[in-house]
Amino acid sequence: MFEALPEQGVPGAQILDELRELRRADLPTHGGRLFAYVYDPALDGLDELAQAAYAISAHVNGLDPTAFPSLLAMENALVGAAARLLGGDQETVGSVTSGGTESLILAVKAARDSRPEPATPRLVIPSTAHAAFAKAAHYLRVALDVVPVGADLRADPAAMAAAITADTVLVVASAPSYAHGVVDPIPQLAAIAAERGVRFHVDACFGGWVLPYLRRLGADLPPFDLSVPGVTSISVDLHKYAYAPKGVSVLLHRTEELRRPQYFAFAGWPGYTMINPIVSSTRSGGPIAGALATMRHIGDAGYLELARSTREAVGVLAAAVTETDGVSLFAPPETSVVCLTAEDPFVLADELAARGWHTQPQMSFGDLPATIHLTVTAAIAPTAKEFAADLAAAVAATRERGPAPVLDLTGLTPEMITPDLVAGLAEGLGLGGGDFSRMAAVNSLLDTVPPAVREALLTSFLSLLQRPAKTTE
Ligand SMILES: *Cc1c(COP(=O)(O)O)cnc(C)c1O
């Protein structure tokens, strides 16, 4: 590892070589074999364009749009494009944030602060809503009412309605859910929220930039955006299906009045008056410029083509799952996710990784079994036809290998989890050397323990990894 603060500065070319060398240990962000974290349209020259745009605005500060009108103009352009794509009208306003989590925290904050009267403001979410809502509730001290989804994995309108109380400040649904890629019944839920006079947020962080195009291509999906009466806000991550570099999401509100409590203003100190629409104050213009360049270069027709490739790839992958013995589709592949079950999903995920396919294992949850999640992007289209053979081979290898050995951690409670215990466990599970390619034993173990124990184990493990580097030079 290199020294971040060497005694004498190091030549630029050497530093870039070192960075490229470091990146070699990462998952491949191109090549159409990565099914999580990274969204790749596989368009020639797009990386270079986005990087150049990013560089132009990297040092521009979004703190004060009167000082840097370039950022204000770019943000308004992005918000305008999102509003047009997502059923907005003349009244629609929005904000550019750093990502989906920030957009959701702000949707919850705006809802909370619009209703100062409840002593304990409450948030009603379906059990498949993204973890970022739990984070928002935690950060903002809002109580979370989690409503089990129906057998179809979708929010259950009657159960959601029953969960709304006088203290509910916001109702939430997903279009689609991240884990399964299915769209909640937005029109029904929006009508219920409107009738009760409660704000209703659609989390389209994942699918907001691909669903409109899938619908244009004829996919049988319900309306989900601001065109639906009762939807008061919607979020869409540009660093997902708009294919922008990381660090950009948009939060739209139906009206300026709904957005107002999202802002924070403070004049009570001797420095500048701080007016922040979003969580961060100083922020780079780089992601915003990168997103704008990406969006303008791809264009509406380009996104339609990318959605067509994505849809084709989903069809090919879903067919591979259906036709392979020992695995089956867990959720209907109606958007851009393929979610499958297997006899041993954790060993299977390792076997797929050994064949170059990087998937995302998902733990069991309540009645739901463990699954494997594939986020499908346009880059998968050319490689999708190679998946079936590797899937069949991976299933066979999984059977041959048998289940991963699982330590018995019954009786372990979060309070018992110390840094030493976790360091010992990590060593025993072969994670000591920083090789995270064979994860079946770890995932199988984590799947057997209660969620609170899993949280505590992984928190300690991450804390163990996140230690200051020692001087080596
Ligand atoms: C990715 C995602 C989020 C969180 O977004 P980040 O950009 O990772 O903060 C929220 N909701 C859904 C449905 C998502 O897919």
Side-chain angles (χ1 to χ4, degrees), residues 39 99-102 104 130 132 176-178 203 205-206 237 239-240:
Y39 297 72
T101 300
E102 187 178 2
L104 299 183
H130 195 277
S177 63
Y178 178 81
D203 178 6
C205 282
F206 181 76
D237 292 351
H239 59 209
K240 289 179 181 160

Side-chain angles (χ1 to χ4, degrees), residues 412 414-427 456-465 467:
L412 189 68
E415 302 71 47
M416 291 156 65
I417 294 165
T418 61
D420 282 349
L421 178 128
V422 172
L425 264 178
E427 202 57 47
L457 283 170
L458 286 175
T459 300
S460 285
F461 179 61
L462 203 59
S463 181
L464 202 63
L465 293 181
R467 296 284 168 88

Side-chain angles (χ1 to χ4, degrees), residues 137-181:
H138 176 76
Y139 276 25
L140 297 167
R141 283 191 183 259
V142 169
L144 202 55
D145 292 315
V146 182
V147 180
V149 293
D152 59 357
L153 303 170
R154 293 171 216 273
D156 172 350
M160 293 283 284
I164 298 173
T165 71
D167 293 340
T168 303
V169 296
L170 183 67
V171 175
V172 159
S174 316
S177 63
Y178 178 81
H180 307 127

